[in-house]
Amino acid sequence: MNVNHYVTIYQKDAVFTLRKFLTAWWTNFGLDAMLAPVEMAGQAEVLPCIIKNVEQVNTVNPFAPLMLTNTAGMVIEFIEQYPDKRLAVILLPCELRTMIELNKRHMVPAYTSMRERPGGYPILIGVDCPGTFKAGDYAVRLEKMGMAKLVCQNLMHGKDTMLGDQEFRLACQLCDQLLPLGADLMIGAICSGETGSLLVIARNETLDSSLGLAQVTEGIATEEQVVLHEEFVGRIINHRLAKRSEYFGSGSLYDHFGSVLGT
């Protein structure tokens, strides 16, 4: 059973709040390295990078609504590069699903094999993702709004209507899997502006204890915090399912990809 903790969002800045939590957790857990989406200095891009000290957590940003590459393909190399270390990987829901699929195809070590590593298997940290923009659209929004406001607005997607949904990449407009199900540690961020907090969710009680989440969070989340998160996510999922039905029913999805592929 999931164990739901929370951390209060500081000055409406979900990215700063997550970094503060990750910094505390890194130190408390004794992490050696992390593969995570990182803001590139002097650039708008956010790309997966390996960070090897806790000070670099201040560059981590998995909430930026941009996806230029899939981190799942980098996990095996990361594991091999640090065979005896305590590791963590931050993944979006689609990246987590890719890793699970690669595991099924025996292209990444099975979890049982990873547990036999001297450093243990990498802790999989998954974050909510309402959707991402094309690179050009993302850059325009970032310049106009700044990161904190852009992230806050994106995580509140679904509060009233889905009018902004069509601005996402098509794959995101049709995606109904917004939650990082199966991760060891999940960050519930959708609707964080409404609850004023991020959910920090351990997959089960054993992981909750071993990760030491009680020492680096503010307590067990209230029922209201959990329900609001579920309601927001459910609202977006229902909209996406209806849109997928519309696309498949009308043939628009085929027409779109057919034109891209030249068929």
Side-chain angles (χ1 to χ4, degrees):
M1 178 181 293
N2 289 349
V3 181
N4 298 279
H5 299 268
Y6 78 96
V7 290
T8 301
I9 290 183
Y10 179 77
Q11 293 186 350
K12 299 182 179 181
D13 193 335
V15 178
F16 175 85
T17 302
L18 179 66
R19 289 171 178 172
K20 185 178 178 182
F21 160 73
L22 288 174
T23 297
W25 177 72
W26 180 305
T27 303
N28 187 67
F29 186 68
L31 203 66
D32 293 303
M34 176 185 287
L35 175 60
V38 166
E39 293 178 4
M40 300 289 102
Q43 303 177 49
E45 286 84 359
V46 175
L47 291 168
C49 295
I50 296 171
I51 59 176
K52 294 176 284 187
N53 62 69
V54 69
E55 289 79 15
Q56 292 176 296
V57 170
N58 286 325
T59 65
V60 171
N61 184 1
F63 295 148
L66 177 70
M67 187 178 183
L68 299 177
T69 187
N70 193 312
T71 308
M74 301 174 61
V75 173
I76 181 61
E77 183 179 351
F78 177 49
I79 295 169
E80 292 175 344
Q81 190 172 347
Y82 300 93
D84 303 323
K85 302 297 183 180
R86 275 193 160 188
L87 308 177
V89 180
I90 297 183
L91 299 168
L92 298 178
C94 55
E95 294 175 321
L96 185 61
R97 294 195 300 274
T98 299
M99 186 171 169
I100 291 171
E101 186 61 30
L102 291 175
N103 184 24
K104 289 179 181 177
R105 299 183 184 189
H106 308 291
M107 297 175 70
V108 296
Y111 291 141
T112 52
S113 299
M114 288 195 282
R115 288 193 179 96
E116 295 169 1
R117 294 175 63 252
Y121 75 106
I123 302 301
L124 302 181
I125 303 173
V127 299
D128 289 352
C129 179
T132 61
F133 301 106
K134 294 179 181 179
D137 294 339
Y138 167 81
V140 170
R141 285 173 169 78
L142 180 62
E143 183 176 3
K144 181 179 179 180
M145 304 170 65
M147 184 63 75
K149 187 175 180 180
L150 174 60
V151 167
C152 180
Q153 184 181 86
N154 204 48
L155 294 178
M156 286 299 291
H157 182 69
K159 178 175 173 57
D160 298 311
T161 67
M162 299 296 128
L163 293 178
D165 217 31
Q166 69 270 17
E167 298 175 350
F168 288 139
R169 295 184 305 133
L170 180 61
C172 296
Q173 293 180 40
L174 303 177
C175 176
D176 64 337
Q177 300 184 57
L178 293 72
L179 304 181
L181 302 179
D184 301 312
L185 173 59
M186 295 165 275
I187 305 298
I190 290 175
C191 93
S192 55
E194 188 84 353
T195 63
S197 60
L198 296 175
L199 294 178
V200 178
I201 309 166
R203 182 157 50 86
N204 55 48
E205 294 180 359
T206 300
L207 275 167
D208 179 53
S209 177
S210 64
L211 296 176
L213 297 182
Q215 286 75 53
V216 291
T217 58
E218 297 173 44
I220 297 296
T222 65
E223 182 178 358
E224 181 182 10
Q225 288 172 316
V226 175
V227 169
L228 274 172
H229 177 251
E230 292 175 347
E231 287 180 348
F232 266 64
V233 172
R235 198 175 302 161
I236 300 171
I237 288 175
N238 288 337
H239 173 80
R240 301 273 174 86
L241 289 173
K243 184 158 190 173
R244 280 171 54 183
S245 178
E246 176 187 338
Y247 263 81
F248 282 109
S250 66
S252 298
L253 188 61
Y254 173 83
D255 293 340
H256 174 85
F257 286 110
S259 65
V260 171
L261 297 173
T263 59

PDB file of all heavy atoms in Angstrom, residues 19 22-27 30-36 38 49-60 78 82 86-87:
ATOM      1  N   ARG A  19      13.527  20.527  -5.221  1.00  0.00           N
ATOM      2  CA  ARG A  19      14.975  20.515  -5.004  1.00  0.00           C
ATOM      3  C   ARG A  19      15.329  20.478  -3.519  1.00  0.00           C
ATOM      4  O   ARG A  19      16.263  19.787  -3.102  1.00  0.00           O
ATOM      5  CB  ARG A  19      15.601  21.746  -5.663  1.00  0.00           C
ATOM      6  CG  ARG A  19      15.596  21.707  -7.179  1.00  0.00           C
ATOM      7  CD  ARG A  19      16.014  23.037  -7.773  1.00  0.00           C
ATOM      8  NE  ARG A  19      16.061  22.993  -9.222  1.00  0.00           N
ATOM      9  CZ  ARG A  19      16.247  24.050  -9.997  1.00  0.00           C
ATOM     10  NH1 ARG A  19      16.396  25.260  -9.446  1.00  0.00           N
ATOM     11  NH2 ARG A  19      16.282  23.925 -11.321  1.00  0.00           N
ATOM     12  N   LEU A  22      14.689  16.920  -2.406  1.00  0.00           N
ATOM     13  CA  LEU A  22      15.694  15.997  -2.926  1.00  0.00           C
ATOM     14  C   LEU A  22      17.040  16.179  -2.240  1.00  0.00           C
ATOM     15  O   LEU A  22      17.769  15.211  -1.991  1.00  0.00           O
ATOM     16  CB  LEU A  22      15.847  16.184  -4.434  1.00  0.00           C
ATOM     17  CG  LEU A  22      14.694  15.684  -5.310  1.00  0.00           C
ATOM     18  CD1 LEU A  22      14.932  16.075  -6.771  1.00  0.00           C
ATOM     19  CD2 LEU A  22      14.505  14.178  -5.189  1.00  0.00           C
ATOM     20  N   THR A  23      17.377  17.432  -1.929  1.00  0.00           N
ATOM     21  CA  THR A  23      18.637  17.704  -1.228  1.00  0.00           C
ATOM     22  C   THR A  23      18.641  17.040   0.145  1.00  0.00           C
ATOM     23  O   THR A  23      19.625  16.389   0.540  1.00  0.00           O
ATOM     24  CB  THR A  23      18.846  19.222  -1.082  1.00  0.00           C
ATOM     25  OG1 THR A  23      18.967  19.806  -2.386  1.00  0.00           O
ATOM     26  CG2 THR A  23      20.092  19.527  -0.272  1.00  0.00           C
ATOM     27  N   ALA A  24      17.543  17.203   0.872  1.00  0.00           N
ATOM     28  CA  ALA A  24      17.439  16.590   2.202  1.00  0.00           C
ATOM     29  C   ALA A  24      17.464  15.071   2.102  1.00  0.00           C
ATOM     30  O   ALA A  24      18.126  14.386   2.895  1.00  0.00           O
ATOM     31  CB  ALA A  24      16.163  17.064   2.892  1.00  0.00           C
ATOM     32  N   TRP A  25      16.733  14.535   1.127  1.00  0.00           N
ATOM     33  CA  TRP A  25      16.679  13.080   0.975  1.00  0.00           C
ATOM     34  C   TRP A  25      18.025  12.508   0.558  1.00  0.00           C
ATOM     35  O   TRP A  25      18.464  11.481   1.069  1.00  0.00           O
ATOM     36  CB  TRP A  25      15.603  12.687  -0.046  1.00  0.00           C
ATOM     37  CG  TRP A  25      15.565  11.202  -0.269  1.00  0.00           C
ATOM     38  CD1 TRP A  25      15.107  10.263   0.606  1.00  0.00           C
ATOM     39  CD2 TRP A  25      16.047  10.501  -1.416  1.00  0.00           C
ATOM     40  NE1 TRP A  25      15.269   8.999   0.068  1.00  0.00           N
ATOM     41  CE2 TRP A  25      15.837   9.126  -1.166  1.00  0.00           C
ATOM     42  CE3 TRP A  25      16.620  10.903  -2.619  1.00  0.00           C
ATOM     43  CZ2 TRP A  25      16.195   8.140  -2.102  1.00  0.00           C
ATOM     44  CZ3 TRP A  25      16.975   9.934  -3.547  1.00  0.00           C
ATOM     45  CH2 TRP A  25      16.763   8.572  -3.284  1.00  0.00           C
ATOM     46  N   TRP A  26      18.713  13.175  -0.394  1.00  0.00           N
ATOM     47  CA  TRP A  26      20.032  12.728  -0.859  1.00  0.00           C
ATOM     48  C   TRP A  26      20.973  12.565   0.336  1.00  0.00           C
ATOM     49  O   TRP A  26      21.648  11.536   0.491  1.00  0.00           O
ATOM     50  CB  TRP A  26      20.586  13.755  -1.834  1.00  0.00           C
ATOM     51  CG  TRP A  26      21.946  13.456  -2.419  1.00  0.00           C
ATOM     52  CD1 TRP A  26      23.101  13.201  -1.744  1.00  0.00           C
ATOM     53  CD2 TRP A  26      22.289  13.407  -3.823  1.00  0.00           C
ATOM     54  NE1 TRP A  26      24.145  13.003  -2.613  1.00  0.00           N
ATOM     55  CE2 TRP A  26      23.679  13.123  -3.893  1.00  0.00           C
ATOM     56  CE3 TRP A  26      21.573  13.596  -4.990  1.00  0.00           C
ATOM     57  CZ2 TRP A  26      24.355  13.019  -5.111  1.00  0.00           C
ATOM     58  CZ3 TRP A  26      22.248  13.493  -6.203  1.00  0.00           C
ATOM     59  CH2 TRP A  26      23.617  13.202  -6.259  1.00  0.00           C
ATOM     60  N   THR A  27      21.014  13.592   1.190  1.00  0.00           N
ATOM     61  CA  THR A  27      21.914  13.574   2.340  1.00  0.00           C
ATOM     62  C   THR A  27      21.506  12.508   3.344  1.00  0.00           C
ATOM     63  O   THR A  27      22.347  11.745   3.852  1.00  0.00           O
ATOM     64  CB  THR A  27      21.921  14.952   3.033  1.00  0.00           C
ATOM     65  OG1 THR A  27      22.311  15.952   2.079  1.00  0.00           O
ATOM     66  CG2 THR A  27      22.873  14.975   4.212  1.00  0.00           C
ATOM     67  N   GLY A  30      22.043   8.964   1.803  1.00  0.00           N
ATOM     68  CA  GLY A  30      23.423   8.652   1.453  1.00  0.00           C
ATOM     69  C   GLY A  30      23.590   8.312  -0.009  1.00  0.00           C
ATOM     70  O   GLY A  30      24.342   7.398  -0.367  1.00  0.00           O
ATOM     71  N   LEU A  31      22.930   9.068  -0.877  1.00  0.00           N
ATOM     72  CA  LEU A  31      22.999   8.820  -2.315  1.00  0.00           C
ATOM     73  C   LEU A  31      24.379   9.189  -2.853  1.00  0.00           C
ATOM     74  O   LEU A  31      25.037  10.100  -2.351  1.00  0.00           O
ATOM     75  CB  LEU A  31      21.924   9.650  -3.016  1.00  0.00           C
ATOM     76  CG  LEU A  31      21.449   9.177  -4.388  1.00  0.00           C
ATOM     77  CD1 LEU A  31      20.723   7.852  -4.284  1.00  0.00           C
ATOM     78  CD2 LEU A  31      20.521  10.224  -5.009  1.00  0.00           C
ATOM     79  N   ASP A  32      24.815   8.470  -3.888  1.00  0.00           N
ATOM     80  CA  ASP A  32      26.095   8.758  -4.528  1.00  0.00           C
ATOM     81  C   ASP A  32      25.944   9.476  -5.865  1.00  0.00           C
ATOM     82  O   ASP A  32      26.787  10.304  -6.228  1.00  0.00           O
ATOM     83  CB  ASP A  32      26.880   7.456  -4.748  1.00  0.00           C
ATOM     84  CG  ASP A  32      27.307   6.812  -3.445  1.00  0.00           C
ATOM     85  OD1 ASP A  32      28.002   7.481  -2.666  1.00  0.00           O
ATOM     86  OD2 ASP A  32      26.940   5.642  -3.210  1.00  0.00           O
ATOM     87  N   ALA A  33      24.905   9.149  -6.610  1.00  0.00           N
ATOM     88  CA  ALA A  33      24.720   9.773  -7.926  1.00  0.00           C
ATOM     89  C   ALA A  33      23.263   9.650  -8.346  1.00  0.00           C
ATOM     90  O   ALA A  33      22.543   8.754  -7.908  1.00  0.00           O
ATOM     91  CB  ALA A  33      25.634   9.122  -8.971  1.00  0.00           C
ATOM     92  N   MET A  34      22.854  10.563  -9.228  1.00  0.00           N
ATOM     93  CA  MET A  34      21.470  10.584  -9.701  1.00  0.00           C
ATOM     94  C   MET A  34      21.450  10.917 -11.198  1.00  0.00           C
ATOM     95  O   MET A  34      22.194  11.785 -11.651  1.00  0.00           O
ATOM     96  CB  MET A  34      20.662  11.627  -8.922  1.00  0.00           C
ATOM     97  CG  MET A  34      19.220  11.811  -9.401  1.00  0.00           C
ATOM     98  SD  MET A  34      18.374  13.163  -8.520  1.00  0.00           S
ATOM     99  CE  MET A  34      18.109  12.394  -6.915  1.00  0.00           C
ATOM    100  N   LEU A  35      20.616  10.214 -11.935  1.00  0.00           N
ATOM    101  CA  LEU A  35      20.343  10.539 -13.332  1.00  0.00           C
ATOM    102  C   LEU A  35      19.021  11.288 -13.359  1.00  0.00           C
ATOM    103  O   LEU A  35      17.987  10.749 -12.966  1.00  0.00           O
ATOM    104  CB  LEU A  35      20.260   9.257 -14.171  1.00  0.00           C
ATOM    105  CG  LEU A  35      19.870   9.406 -15.647  1.00  0.00           C
ATOM    106  CD1 LEU A  35      20.871  10.277 -16.387  1.00  0.00           C
ATOM    107  CD2 LEU A  35      19.762   8.025 -16.299  1.00  0.00           C
ATOM    108  N   ALA A  36      19.054  12.538 -13.815  1.00  0.00           N
ATOM    109  CA  ALA A  36      17.863  13.380 -13.686  1.00  0.00           C
ATOM    110  C   ALA A  36      17.838  14.445 -14.778  1.00  0.00           C
ATOM    111  O   ALA A  36      18.875  14.798 -15.337  1.00  0.00           O
ATOM    112  CB  ALA A  36      17.865  14.059 -12.311  1.00  0.00           C
ATOM    113  N   VAL A  38      18.049  18.015 -16.054  1.00  0.00           N
ATOM    114  CA  VAL A  38      18.813  19.130 -15.487  1.00  0.00           C
ATOM    115  C   VAL A  38      18.710  20.349 -16.407  1.00  0.00           C
ATOM    116  O   VAL A  38      18.759  20.229 -17.633  1.00  0.00           O
ATOM    117  CB  VAL A  38      20.297  18.710 -15.317  1.00  0.00           C
ATOM    118  CG1 VAL A  38      21.187  19.915 -15.054  1.00  0.00           C
ATOM    119  CG2 VAL A  38      20.430  17.687 -14.197  1.00  0.00           C
ATOM    120  N   CYS A  49      20.956  14.292 -17.212  1.00  0.00           N
ATOM    121  CA  CYS A  49      22.386  14.312 -16.909  1.00  0.00           C
ATOM    122  C   CYS A  49      22.624  13.552 -15.613  1.00  0.00           C
ATOM    123  O   CYS A  49      21.723  13.394 -14.788  1.00  0.00           O
ATOM    124  CB  CYS A  49      22.908  15.740 -16.754  1.00  0.00           C
ATOM    125  SG  CYS A  49      22.847  16.732 -18.262  1.00  0.00           S
ATOM    126  N   ILE A  50      23.860  13.130 -15.431  1.00  0.00           N
ATOM    127  CA  ILE A  50      24.263  12.494 -14.177  1.00  0.00           C
ATOM    128  C   ILE A  50      24.821  13.562 -13.253  1.00  0.00           C
ATOM    129  O   ILE A  50      25.696  14.339 -13.645  1.00  0.00           O
ATOM    130  CB  ILE A  50      25.325  11.411 -14.423  1.00  0.00           C
ATOM    131  CG1 ILE A  50      24.748  10.275 -15.278  1.00  0.00           C
ATOM    132  CG2 ILE A  50      25.857  10.868 -13.095  1.00  0.00           C
ATOM    133  CD1 ILE A  50      25.782   9.268 -15.738  1.00  0.00           C
ATOM    134  N   ILE A  51      24.291  13.629 -12.048  1.00  0.00           N
ATOM    135  CA  ILE A  51      24.848  14.536 -11.042  1.00  0.00           C
ATOM    136  C   ILE A  51      25.457  13.689  -9.927  1.00  0.00           C
ATOM    137  O   ILE A  51      24.896  12.662  -9.549  1.00  0.00           O
ATOM    138  CB  ILE A  51      23.797  15.521 -10.493  1.00  0.00           C
ATOM    139  CG1 ILE A  51      22.617  14.789  -9.846  1.00  0.00           C
ATOM    140  CG2 ILE A  51      23.277  16.416 -11.616  1.00  0.00           C
ATOM    141  CD1 ILE A  51      21.622  15.728  -9.207  1.00  0.00           C
ATOM    142  N   LYS A  52      26.603  14.140  -9.435  1.00  0.00           N
ATOM    143  CA  LYS A  52      27.375  13.307  -8.512  1.00  0.00           C
ATOM    144  C   LYS A  52      27.572  13.931  -7.133  1.00  0.00           C
ATOM    145  O   LYS A  52      28.233  13.345  -6.281  1.00  0.00           O
ATOM    146  CB  LYS A  52      28.738  12.978  -9.135  1.00  0.00           C
ATOM    147  CG  LYS A  52      28.627  12.097 -10.375  1.00  0.00           C
ATOM    148  CD  LYS A  52      29.965  11.871 -11.038  1.00  0.00           C
ATOM    149  CE  LYS A  52      30.404  13.103 -11.814  1.00  0.00           C
ATOM    150  NZ  LYS A  52      31.634  12.848 -12.621  1.00  0.00           N
ATOM    151  N   ASN A  53      27.010  15.111  -6.915  1.00  0.00           N
ATOM    152  CA  ASN A  53      27.075  15.675  -5.567  1.00  0.00           C
ATOM    153  C   ASN A  53      25.782  16.422  -5.279  1.00  0.00           C
ATOM    154  O   ASN A  53      25.075  16.867  -6.191  1.00  0.00           O
ATOM    155  CB  ASN A  53      28.304  16.579  -5.399  1.00  0.00           C
ATOM    156  CG  ASN A  53      28.275  17.769  -6.330  1.00  0.00           C
ATOM    157  OD1 ASN A  53      27.448  18.670  -6.168  1.00  0.00           O
ATOM    158  ND2 ASN A  53      29.168  17.786  -7.326  1.00  0.00           N
ATOM    159  N   VAL A  54      25.491  16.582  -4.022  1.00  0.00           N
ATOM    160  CA  VAL A  54      24.195  17.102  -3.611  1.00  0.00           C
ATOM    161  C   VAL A  54      23.994  18.558  -4.039  1.00  0.00           C
ATOM    162  O   VAL A  54      22.853  18.995  -4.237  1.00  0.00           O
ATOM    163  CB  VAL A  54      24.016  16.931  -2.082  1.00  0.00           C
ATOM    164  CG1 VAL A  54      24.955  17.861  -1.320  1.00  0.00           C
ATOM    165  CG2 VAL A  54      22.575  17.137  -1.659  1.00  0.00           C
ATOM    166  N   GLU A  55      25.086  19.313  -4.194  1.00  0.00           N
ATOM    167  CA  GLU A  55      24.947  20.709  -4.613  1.00  0.00           C
ATOM    168  C   GLU A  55      24.326  20.816  -6.003  1.00  0.00           C
ATOM    169  O   GLU A  55      23.622  21.785  -6.308  1.00  0.00           O
ATOM    170  CB  GLU A  55      26.309  21.401  -4.600  1.00  0.00           C
ATOM    171  CG  GLU A  55      26.882  21.674  -3.217  1.00  0.00           C
ATOM    172  CD  GLU A  55      27.502  20.438  -2.581  1.00  0.00           C
ATOM    173  OE1 GLU A  55      27.744  19.454  -3.322  1.00  0.00           O
ATOM    174  OE2 GLU A  55      27.733  20.441  -1.360  1.00  0.00           O
ATOM    175  N   GLN A  56      24.541  19.829  -6.849  1.00  0.00           N
ATOM    176  CA  GLN A  56      24.011  19.858  -8.212  1.00  0.00           C
ATOM    177  C   GLN A  56      22.506  19.622  -8.272  1.00  0.00           C
ATOM    178  O   GLN A  56      21.896  19.834  -9.323  1.00  0.00           O
ATOM    179  CB  GLN A  56      24.733  18.807  -9.064  1.00  0.00           C
ATOM    180  CG  GLN A  56      26.196  19.131  -9.326  1.00  0.00           C
ATOM    181  CD  GLN A  56      26.884  18.011 -10.088  1.00  0.00           C
ATOM    182  OE1 GLN A  56      27.028  16.900  -9.607  1.00  0.00           O
ATOM    183  NE2 GLN A  56      27.308  18.320 -11.313  1.00  0.00           N
ATOM    184  N   VAL A  57      21.902  19.237  -7.166  1.00  0.00           N
ATOM    185  CA  VAL A  57      20.449  19.077  -7.131  1.00  0.00           C
ATOM    186  C   VAL A  57      19.754  20.385  -7.482  1.00  0.00           C
ATOM    187  O   VAL A  57      18.630  20.393  -7.986  1.00  0.00           O
ATOM    188  CB  VAL A  57      19.991  18.561  -5.742  1.00  0.00           C
ATOM    189  CG1 VAL A  57      18.472  18.612  -5.609  1.00  0.00           C
ATOM    190  CG2 VAL A  57      20.483  17.135  -5.524  1.00  0.00           C
ATOM    191  N   ASN A  58      20.435  21.508  -7.248  1.00  0.00           N
ATOM    192  CA  ASN A  58      19.854  22.817  -7.543  1.00  0.00           C
ATOM    193  C   ASN A  58      19.675  23.080  -9.045  1.00  0.00           C
ATOM    194  O   ASN A  58      19.176  24.138  -9.425  1.00  0.00           O
ATOM    195  CB  ASN A  58      20.710  23.928  -6.923  1.00  0.00           C
ATOM    196  CG  ASN A  58      20.542  23.991  -5.416  1.00  0.00           C
ATOM    197  OD1 ASN A  58      19.467  23.744  -4.887  1.00  0.00           O
ATOM    198  ND2 ASN A  58      21.612  24.298  -4.715  1.00  0.00           N
ATOM    199  N   THR A  59      20.093  22.138  -9.886  1.00  0.00           N
ATOM    200  CA  THR A  59      19.864  22.254 -11.327  1.00  0.00           C
ATOM    201  C   THR A  59      18.781  21.291 -11.815  1.00  0.00           C
ATOM    202  O   THR A  59      18.380  21.347 -12.976  1.00  0.00           O
ATOM    203  CB  THR A  59      21.159  21.973 -12.105  1.00  0.00           C
ATOM    204  OG1 THR A  59      21.561  20.602 -11.894  1.00  0.00           O
ATOM    205  CG2 THR A  59      22.281  22.892 -11.657  1.00  0.00           C
ATOM    206  N   VAL A  60      18.310  20.412 -10.952  1.00  0.00           N
ATOM    207  CA  VAL A  60      17.342  19.380 -11.343  1.00  0.00           C
ATOM    208  C   VAL A  60      15.952  19.995 -11.554  1.00  0.00           C
ATOM    209  O   VAL A  60      15.488  20.796 -10.733  1.00  0.00           O
ATOM    210  CB  VAL A  60      17.272  18.270 -10.275  1.00  0.00           C
ATOM    211  CG1 VAL A  60      16.112  17.310 -10.550  1.00  0.00           C
ATOM    212  CG2 VAL A  60      18.590  17.508 -10.217  1.00  0.00           C
ATOM    213  N   PHE A  78      24.195   4.195 -17.031  1.00  0.00           N
ATOM    214  CA  PHE A  78      24.340   4.814 -15.712  1.00  0.00           C
ATOM    215  C   PHE A  78      24.650   3.752 -14.664  1.00  0.00           C
ATOM    216  O   PHE A  78      25.562   3.925 -13.837  1.00  0.00           O
ATOM    217  CB  PHE A  78      23.046   5.548 -15.373  1.00  0.00           C
ATOM    218  CG  PHE A  78      23.007   6.192 -14.020  1.00  0.00           C
ATOM    219  CD1 PHE A  78      24.041   6.998 -13.566  1.00  0.00           C
ATOM    220  CD2 PHE A  78      21.907   6.006 -13.179  1.00  0.00           C
ATOM    221  CE1 PHE A  78      24.001   7.612 -12.319  1.00  0.00           C
ATOM    222  CE2 PHE A  78      21.851   6.610 -11.938  1.00  0.00           C
ATOM    223  CZ  PHE A  78      22.896   7.407 -11.503  1.00  0.00           C
ATOM    224  N   TYR A  82      28.452   3.190 -12.490  1.00  0.00           N
ATOM    225  CA  TYR A  82      28.589   3.280 -11.032  1.00  0.00           C
ATOM    226  C   TYR A  82      28.138   1.965 -10.393  1.00  0.00           C
ATOM    227  O   TYR A  82      27.091   1.892  -9.747  1.00  0.00           O
ATOM    228  CB  TYR A  82      27.752   4.444 -10.498  1.00  0.00           C
ATOM    229  CG  TYR A  82      28.163   5.784 -11.061  1.00  0.00           C
ATOM    230  CD1 TYR A  82      27.536   6.303 -12.198  1.00  0.00           C
ATOM    231  CD2 TYR A  82      29.188   6.521 -10.477  1.00  0.00           C
ATOM    232  CE1 TYR A  82      27.914   7.524 -12.721  1.00  0.00           C
ATOM    233  CE2 TYR A  82      29.573   7.745 -11.000  1.00  0.00           C
ATOM    234  CZ  TYR A  82      28.934   8.238 -12.124  1.00  0.00           C
ATOM    235  OH  TYR A  82      29.312   9.442 -12.643  1.00  0.00           O
ATOM    236  N   ARG A  86      25.200   3.933  -4.538  1.00  0.00           N
ATOM    237  CA  ARG A  86      23.759   4.118  -4.316  1.00  0.00           C
ATOM    238  C   ARG A  86      23.247   5.120  -5.336  1.00  0.00           C
ATOM    239  O   ARG A  86      23.687   6.279  -5.350  1.00  0.00           O
ATOM    240  CB  ARG A  86      23.490   4.634  -2.903  1.00  0.00           C
ATOM    241  CG  ARG A  86      23.405   3.542  -1.856  1.00  0.00           C
ATOM    242  CD  ARG A  86      22.828   4.084  -0.563  1.00  0.00           C
ATOM    243  NE  ARG A  86      22.302   3.008   0.255  1.00  0.00           N
ATOM    244  CZ  ARG A  86      21.611   3.180   1.364  1.00  0.00           C
ATOM    245  NH1 ARG A  86      21.341   4.406   1.790  1.00  0.00           N
ATOM    246  NH2 ARG A  86      21.165   2.153   2.047  1.00  0.00           N
ATOM    247  N   LEU A  87      22.302   4.690  -6.161  1.00  0.00           N
ATOM    248  CA  LEU A  87      21.860   5.497  -7.292  1.00  0.00           C
ATOM    249  C   LEU A  87      20.370   5.779  -7.243  1.00  0.00           C
ATOM    250  O   LEU A  87      19.599   5.046  -6.622  1.00  0.00           O
ATOM    251  CB  LEU A  87      22.179   4.768  -8.606  1.00  0.00           C
ATOM    252  CG  LEU A  87      23.610   4.275  -8.809  1.00  0.00           C
ATOM    253  CD1 LEU A  87      23.717   3.515 -10.123  1.00  0.00           C
ATOM    254  CD2 LEU A  87      24.609   5.434  -8.764  1.00  0.00           C
TER     255      LEU A  87
END
